[in-house]
Amino acid sequence: MFMKAMTAVFGLALITTMACAEELRVAFPANYATSFKNYLSLDRTQNEDQIIRLFANETALTAASENKELPDGSILIGEIYAAKKDKDGKVITSVLGRRIREKLVAVAVMEKKTGWGAAFPDELRNGDWDFGIFSPDGAPFKKDLNTCRQCHAPLKETQHLFSLQHLAK
């Protein structure tokens, strides 16, 4: 009986922790295209048929320019575009060897808030960063954000960012 009770308590604790971790805390910043700075655009290394445009708010840009840790309130945006494909479904590249941007398919958001990291186990913790992914019109996608968390978690030396070196103004 004791084991059943402990299993139930553990299961409830796990479900509560997972619910907290999957609670969408990151909002879609509707004005990012005009109020954030586009600091990098490139072929997405994780996906061979995508292009990404990266934006940052002033909070993140200022801290990066001063070579400081990005503070609470830092927000980074990744506009994810499908790459143009030929009739056989192969990605078309320009004469520069770069993918050609077609339609915007998603907007990924990273936001940092004090204490957010406490909701996650070590392998998913990104300091106090959390993630959201949205359709181009701002509606949240139902996506397992642990994929984002796992990918960024090992990047402790660059504040869990792939593009920290490009962020300074």
Side-chain angles (χ1 to χ4, degrees):
M1 186 66 153
F2 176 75
M3 285 303 285
K4 270 188 171 179
M6 289 307 293
T7 303
V9 168
F10 177 73
L12 183 58
L14 182 61
I15 290 168
T16 303
T17 301
M18 288 173 65
C20 178
E22 286 307 313
E23 172 187 330
L24 186 59
R25 300 184 287 194
V26 174
F28 181 79
N31 64 344
Y32 79 86
T34 56
S35 62
F36 288 26
K37 180 183 177 189
N38 174 217
Y39 68 93
L40 185 64
S41 298
L42 68 157
D43 294 346
R44 193 156 184 226
T45 56
Q46 299 95 328
N47 300 85
E48 62 187 37
D49 62 349
Q50 294 179 344
I51 295 117
I52 192 165
R53 292 182 68 215
L54 299 172
F55 296 79
N57 68 354
E58 190 61 35
T59 303
L61 292 167
T62 299
S65 293
E66 296 171 359
N67 204 26
K68 294 180 179 175
E69 182 175 339
L70 277 59
D72 183 70
S74 294
I75 302 174
L76 304 178
I77 305 289
E79 287 184 337
I80 302 168
Y81 291 84
K84 192 171 186 177
K85 295 180 180 177
D86 65 17
K87 62 180 171 45
D88 297 322
K90 293 184 181 177
V91 172
I92 299 171
T93 56
S94 71
V95 294
L96 297 173
R98 301 282 310 270
R99 298 174 201 148
I100 299 168
R101 188 171 73 194
E102 197 161 62
K103 76 177 204 169
L104 179 62
V105 294
V107 178
V109 181
M110 281 183 77
E111 184 173 359
K112 188 174 185 181
K113 291 284 185 184
T114 301
W116 275 5
F120 304 106
D122 288 342
E123 65 274 8
L124 298 177
R125 190 169 299 137
N126 286 270
D128 282 328
W129 290 100
D130 204 2
F131 301 84
I133 189 150
F134 303 88
S135 67
D137 66 0
F141 280 136
K142 294 198 185 294
K143 178 180 175 12
D144 181 5
L145 297 174
N146 285 338
T147 303
C148 304
R149 294 177 188 119
Q150 270 182 320
C151 190
H152 285 260
L155 305 174
K156 292 177 183 170
E157 290 183 22
T158 58
Q159 301 185 51
H160 302 283
L161 306 176
F162 285 97
S163 60
L164 183 63
Q165 299 88 342
H166 299 274
L167 195 53
K169 300 189 225 183

